[in-house]
Amino acid sequence: MKNKIFLYLLFYLFFMNNIYSQMDCSVFSPRTYGDIPDADDYIPTINTPIQYLRVNVHFILKEYDTAGYPGNFTKSSDGNGDPYYTGYDYANDLINRANDRLSANSQMQMPPGNSTGVSPRQYRYVLNGVFFHEDNDYYTFNVGSTPPYSENSDDAVNLFLNHKDNADGGGFAYMSGSRTVVIKGTWEGYFADQSVALWVNAGILNHEIGHNLSLYHTMFTNGGTCNPTQEDYCSDTPLGQFIIDNFGFNPCCGWGGGANCTNNQMDYTGDDAITPLQLGRVHWTIENEMYRNKICFFYNNSEDITNFTDNKAYVASDVQIPTGYSILVDDYSGLFINSENFEINGEFEITLGSILNIIPKASCN
């Protein structure tokens, strides 16, 4: 058999490893119960192994022949004529920047003078797949309207990036079932101010995946208004009313924050602080509800790649191109594989500009 692999071939070797005036966010399918009684047993330390979660990134484009097409990043360009920066590049940069923000933690500002511990975030994301969909019905952000294009729905967080419906940034997320996130305006932000907007959207991504991981807002409602009695089921995040009653100011400040504002990741300031009990909820959820999302967990034992016509992500312990089959990855398409073992027994060809992304990882189940 002749196995042919041409450039551009990208192996993801795991072991090597618009600026917004405000933000709105909604949570759907909330947990049937709020409290996690044993969350404190899952509070991570520096010795806790980092858990890596699969994330699929979906770009929602306008349909061909629609005014303003494509209106988002594409397989082969930035959507505005630059062939040297594509949707694959942006998805990779967004995940990397989000992981950068997860790699540090900050002291809580509320209540003033507190001694709340600063635990490490021992979770990160791995880009599991990138997909492109031309669909006018889902192109513009609409709270609660989730595009019907999930891949590996029980094995990865599916992130959809679509057009802004107003001047604000933000998104929504699902807290139970197959985890999904929708974020608006990343493409518009890229052209407004690339470096700042990427940092902002990485923070929004961490906030929304925080909801996937069982975190509630600490001082704000879903619509972004202040709620002095908002309950997030973590005793180390004070109620806004406690700050008002004991310190004489309201810590709900909105985007940008300040010294007398909440700086919690799950509020609307764009900051990164997160408490030990919040992280206990996160790691409880990873181990008890989202364990299939870990890049080392393979629910499927084997997958055979027998045809390929568009971007696809395979997640299984053993993935192979069987003898007698010929796979061609061309036209800037992407083939993504997360497996313990990947074998090419048939013929395989990849053309210049297309993507082969392999995440090799030993099974943990």
Side-chain angles (χ1 to χ4, degrees), residues 58-64 69-75 79 131-139 161-162:
H58 301 257
F59 294 93
I60 308 300
L61 290 71
K62 292 184 176 181
E63 294 173 12
Y64 186 70
Y69 173 86
N72 210 332
F73 296 99
T74 74
K75 293 179 180 180
F131 306 90
F132 302 86
H133 315 280
E134 296 182 7
D135 193 330
N136 288 347
D137 291 338
Y138 291 95
Y139 175 70
L161 305 178
N162 59 8

Side-chain angles (χ1 to χ4, degrees), residues 121-360:
R121 293 178 177 85
Q122 297 298 83
Y123 69 98
R124 303 286 190 275
Y125 319 129
V126 169
L127 184 60
N128 184 72
V130 182
F131 306 90
F132 302 86
H133 315 280
E134 296 182 7
D135 193 330
N136 288 347
D137 291 338
Y138 291 95
Y139 175 70
T140 300
F141 178 88
N142 183 19
V143 173
S145 180
T146 304
Y149 301 113
S150 292
E151 294 280 337
N152 322 114
S153 58
D154 292 323
D155 298 310
V157 173
N158 276 276
L159 165 64
F160 296 93
L161 305 178
N162 59 8
H163 179 67
K164 297 173 69 166
D165 61 336
N166 56 32
D168 302 333
F172 65 87
Y174 287 82
M175 193 178 279
S176 63
S178 297
R179 268 36 176 210
T180 301
V181 171
V182 182
I183 295 177
K184 58 182 175 178
T186 56
W187 185 68
E188 293 86 346
Y190 170 79
F191 292 105
D193 188 324
Q194 297 177 23
S195 60
V196 174
L198 188 62
W199 183 87
V200 168
N201 283 304
I204 294 174
L205 176 59
N206 288 340
H207 175 105
E208 299 300 345
I209 291 184
H211 289 312
N212 292 158
L213 292 164
S214 298
L215 297 182
Y216 293 86
H217 297 134
T218 67
M219 294 189 182
F220 289 83
T221 65
N222 283 352
T225 58
C226 187
N227 180 8
T229 59
Q230 174 69 25
E231 178 58 74
D232 74 338
Y233 305 98
C234 294
S235 60
D236 54 6
T237 57
L239 296 178
Q241 193 64 53
F242 175 85
I243 305 300
I244 294 171
D245 292 343
N246 290 275
F247 296 92
F249 63 87
N250 190 333
C252 298
C253 306
W255 191 261
N260 289 334
C261 306
T262 172
N263 64 332
N264 195 277
Q265 171 184 300
M266 298 312 298
D267 285 323
Y268 289 81
T269 61
D271 290 315
D272 288 321
I274 191 167
T275 69
L277 279 175
Q278 284 180 299
L279 286 170
R281 290 179 67 91
V282 164
H283 283 270
W284 182 95
T285 302
I286 290 172
E287 298 304 326
N288 292 278
E289 290 188 354
M290 291 179 64
Y291 53 89
R292 282 183 57 166
N293 294 70
K294 297 193 292 186
I295 65 166
C296 62
F297 191 97
F298 301 109
Y299 183 80
N300 294 320
N301 290 326
S302 64
E303 289 272 7
D304 288 346
I305 307 175
T306 57
N307 63 79
F308 182 87
T309 57
D310 200 359
N311 288 27
K312 186 70 176 176
Y314 290 88
V315 175
S317 181
D318 294 287
V319 177
Q320 70 159 330
I321 299 174
T323 301
Y325 289 90
S326 180
I327 299 300
L328 170 64
V329 181
D330 64 352
D331 196 26
Y332 301 98
S333 294
L335 173 60
F336 298 83
I337 298 167
N338 175 203
S339 69
E340 191 169 17
N341 302 294
F342 173 52
E343 296 183 7
I344 300 175
N345 297 310
E347 290 192 355
F348 180 73
E349 180 178 346
I350 182 168
T351 61
L352 185 68
S354 297
I355 300 290
L356 173 62
N357 193 50
I358 302 175
I359 308 171

